[in-house]
Amino acid sequence: MKSHLGILIMSVALMGTAAAQQVERGGTLQLAVDQSPVGLDPHVATAFSTFVVTGQIYEGLLDVDANLKIRPLLASKYTRSDDGLTYTFTLRPGIKFHNGDPLTAGDVVYSMNRVKDPKIASPLASRLSAVTSVKASGPLQVTFVLSKPFAPFLSEVATIAIVDQKYVEGGGNLQRAAIGTGPFVFKQWIPDTALVLAKNPSYWAKGQPYLDGLKFNIVPDASTRQIGLQGGTYQFLPNIDASVAATLKTAPGVQLLRSQDLAYSLLGMNVSRKPFDDPRVREALNYAINRPEIVQGVYFGDAVPGGPIPPALKAYATPVNNFPCYSYNPAKAKDLLRQAGYPNGVDFSILTFSTIKTVSDAAQVLQAELAPAGFRAKIDIQEFGNFVQNWRNSNFDAFVSLNGGSVDPDGQLYRTVVSGGSTNVFKYKDPAVDALLEQGRSTTSNGSRVRTYAQLERTLACRGPAAFLAYGALYSAARTEVRGFTPNPTRSLAALKTTWINR
Amino acid sequence: MLTYAARRLIDLLVILFGVSVLVFLMIRLIPGDAVQILLGANTEVTPAQIAQLRHTLGLDQPVFVQYGMWLSGILRGNLGQSVWTGASIGQEIMARLPVTLELTVVPLLLASALAIPLGILTASWHNSSVERILRFLTIAGITTPAFWLGTLFIYVAFLIAPRWATIGYVPFSADPLGHVSRMVLPVIALALPLLAGLIRILRSSLLEVLGQDFIRTARSKGLSERRVLYGHALRNALVPLLTVLGIQAGYLFGGAIVVEQVFAIPGFGRLIVGAINERNYALVQGSILVVTAGFVLINFLVDLLYAAVDPRVEYG
């Protein structure tokens, strides 16, 4: 009898939790973001303010999940030929664009060629640089042929949005209106006010999304967004600063959703200028940085020091205690500077900007930390547009910034440090590093890739052109009634399709 | 009067032309262009692609060619197109202008309506303790910027009545009550500093006028204090108030820009700030031209009003 009662109580309790976990449908989620999108064309406007919105409307062949695993999305499966040169994707049947057009292999071919088209000048074009041809090998089958084996191919091609060929060729302006296959349908864009999306009633994943719609309210003032969340006007603030997260931690009715960020803060050096042309000076600078102090002072304790590869890429990242220069040692730094011919220390200026608080904070903490070792830094805070121009033209001694990370070590390192790479603003040139980078992208054997990147990390960590500072935690803040959202290290908000509001 | 108005109109056109040249050159002196801003840092784009984008947007043309194209567009009534979205700039400005005009005109009317009775009150209670309190309040009002008041109001509103506090914007036509409730706080935030300033001006000019000979004459004729104040003094004291109102309208426009940022109101200010950040040249130029036209027009109207209020002002 007693045991029966126990079972009864237990099953009631279980029913209770099951009921609490029951998804509720309906409602529009009120998000607050800081910036208007600069246009909606997912192949042209790649700014983050556009990406958070278009990511709900468009989908790629594959997706990167919260554990950074690549998994099927529009393509249900793919095969790779033994020589690594041919990839064949099979599309899910019965998927429709928001205007009712069926998704075909032709749309995928069209989308890829649109990204490659020089006239479109898509910033994503380099993701397809290894692709020599894309062909429809069946109504729902697409074959990519590569010029050489390219290990990061899947992660590069995965998230390129598939657009409707008929709609675009029929004169649809993708910058103003969007037609995709995603869980939410573009409804209205009121410039500088809001972007409204509605549920896609015929979304291919049955039962999703749970919400009736999303409203991205554009609220430029950070304190207004924060008060609005606390007051309940807004329910979701995606990807907030560490300092905002710290103040919202104890706010009633608010929860913080945490993930590890792929983006990293760095102090970049111009190796074509004195004093950073000397690898010993770059190593000295690394010794002069107190990384735990940056984690405390800039990230409020919620970050990890990391090397050239994000700790979130567990298979590749080398633990930082393998890099001796990551332990704070101003005496050693001074010694290295003396060896490099700077017994009285060096003067240099740090280029930076103020729109991301983490960045300007890091610059100030660094300035103080570097001084005892003989690095006398002057901080040059510029307006963002100005910063980007000087950054692109390598017009700096050093800079402090936040770089977006990648889900593949090749994406993380190749274009940044390869000789003449598109974002190698450091002007760094090292034939040995170039050879390793080529090897890393052309081998498809996992074991050999891991060894290659471990060697690259050792080469770059102390004497490379960038002093890697820290990888922060990535926070979104939401009202407690918001359920089912899993933050993604890539900052993607794809999980909004399984988000629901508990009423 | 007509020749006076015509001459002022020609002045207006000359000023607008000068401003168009200045704005055009100034925005291009700022480093970075639309392409740089769109691509930002850390994008995987080659110099050849940057050049292609710049060509598509016409940014590779010599500056005077770009200016010529822009000017000829304006003369044909076309302010151009937004760089990325292709939206018509004329339409975009017309959509935003009413919002900011509301944030300029309503506080202006509100402040002027309250300033006259309160100004008279402080002037007639000269040196009383009530006047001292009012003087303290007006100084506090003048020195408090509207955007700070705005932030304070939002905090207080959410503290007192989180359910009723609202941020953002809805058009009057869509939801009249929602529109008014969202505009109350920004309007008060903008009106208060202006009101304080106007009270100070009116008080001191009234006191000055009341000390003049013709007032003594009027009193000696046995006129009631009421008739002296309203019939003689006020009319003369209003001239400096009008001048200040004209200048304040400009400040108010500037204040509205910052207040729009705080209250997330999609007005003209947000449009200009966004356009500058995105280096959306045509949009910046068009907007500033419209703002300048507005300023010059207000000045023009103030000049005409002087003449109506004070017959001593002659059409020079």
Side-chain angles (χ1 to χ4, degrees), chain A residues 37-42 45 50 53-54 58 174-178 186 189 195:
Chain A
V38 283
L40 295 175
D41 189 332
T50 293
V53 177
T54 54
Y58 292 101
L174 290 185
Q175 282 286 57
R176 303 278 290 166
F186 174 74
W189 180 6
L195 236 135

Side-chain angles (χ1 to χ4, degrees), chain A residues 80-84 87 149-152 315-316 408-409 436 438-454:
Chain A
R80 189 178 72 199
S81 65
D82 290 338
D83 59 6
Y87 286 80
F150 190 62
Y316 296 100
D408 190 279
L436 284 169
E438 290 302 336
Q439 197 181 322
R441 57 168 34 187
S442 58
T443 174
T444 42
S445 138
N446 267 344
S448 120
R449 277 200 102 195
V450 168
R451 282 192 298 278
T452 303
Y453 285 108

Side-chain angles (χ1 to χ4, degrees), chain A residues 174-447:
Chain A
L174 290 185
Q175 282 286 57
R176 303 278 290 166
I179 301 280
T181 57
F184 292 94
V185 178
F186 174 74
K187 214 170 135 196
Q188 198 187 11
W189 180 6
I190 319 162
D192 279 342
T193 308
L195 236 135
V196 187
L197 308 182
K199 173 186 185 153
N200 175 1
S202 45
Y203 187 55
W204 56 269
K206 287 281 162 277
Q208 291 177 6
Y210 304 147
L211 293 163
D212 284 342
L214 304 174
K215 186 170 180 190
F216 291 89
N217 297 282
I218 297 151
V219 186
D221 193 79
S223 60
T224 310
R225 286 196 299 277
Q226 195 181 323
I227 304 163
L229 179 76
Q230 288 176 264
T233 303
Y234 309 125
Q235 295 161 300
F236 197 95
L237 308 186
N239 306 321
I240 53 177
D241 265 343
S243 58
V244 178
T247 57
L248 284 174
K249 204 165 251 171
T250 52
V254 173
Q255 57 176 326
L256 290 176
L257 306 162
R258 184 185 185 279
S259 164
Q260 190 68 49
D261 201 350
L262 276 180
Y264 58 96
S265 51
L266 76 161
L267 189 154
M269 293 162 269
N270 189 341
V271 303
S272 70
R273 284 191 192 175
K274 279 188 181 309
F276 298 117
D277 56 338
D278 189 324
R280 285 170 297 192
V281 176
R282 303 201 292 269
E283 191 174 358
L285 184 104
N286 271 293
Y287 274 112
I289 297 172
N290 187 343
R291 288 177 173 82
E293 205 173 274
I294 288 179
V295 168
Q296 284 308 322
V298 178
Y299 290 93
F300 299 88
D302 209 349
V304 286
I309 291 175
L313 298 183
K314 294 187 193 78
Y316 296 100
T318 304
V320 288
N321 49 23
N322 289 12
F323 311 132
C325 66
Y326 270 45
S327 50
Y328 179 55
N329 191 341
K332 175 107 184 169
K334 264 191 165 152
D335 193 39
L336 279 163
L337 267 185
R338 200 176 303 122
Q339 287 173 34
Y342 299 101
N344 303 319
V346 292
D347 290 282
F348 69 107
S349 102
I350 297 179
L351 177 73
T352 191
F353 57 95
S354 63
T355 39
I356 301 178
K357 201 163 179 310
T358 317
V359 169
S360 46
D361 285 356
Q364 284 170 35
V365 173
L366 279 169
Q367 184 185 40
E369 281 183 354
L370 293 174
F375 287 96
R376 291 177 297 270
K378 197 180 99 228
I379 299 182
D380 181 8
I381 296 190
Q382 300 189 344
E383 183 260 350
F384 188 67
N386 208 343
F387 170 84
V388 172
Q389 170 145 338
N390 284 322
W391 178 86
R392 254 191 203 290
N393 297 337
S394 301
N395 185 22
F396 56 80
D397 299 335
F399 70 89
V400 170
S401 183
L402 186 76
N403 270 12
S406 173
V407 296
D408 190 279
D410 179 76
Q412 183 78 12
L413 293 177
Y414 189 88
R415 60 172 198 261
T416 315
V417 292
V418 77
S419 304
S422 61
T423 56
N424 185 347
V425 293
F426 320 105
K427 303 210 165 176
Y428 183 69
K429 269 196 188 110
D430 181 344
V433 166
D434 289 354
L436 284 169
L437 286 167
E438 290 302 336
Q439 197 181 322
R441 57 168 34 187
S442 58
T443 174
T444 42
S445 138
N446 267 344

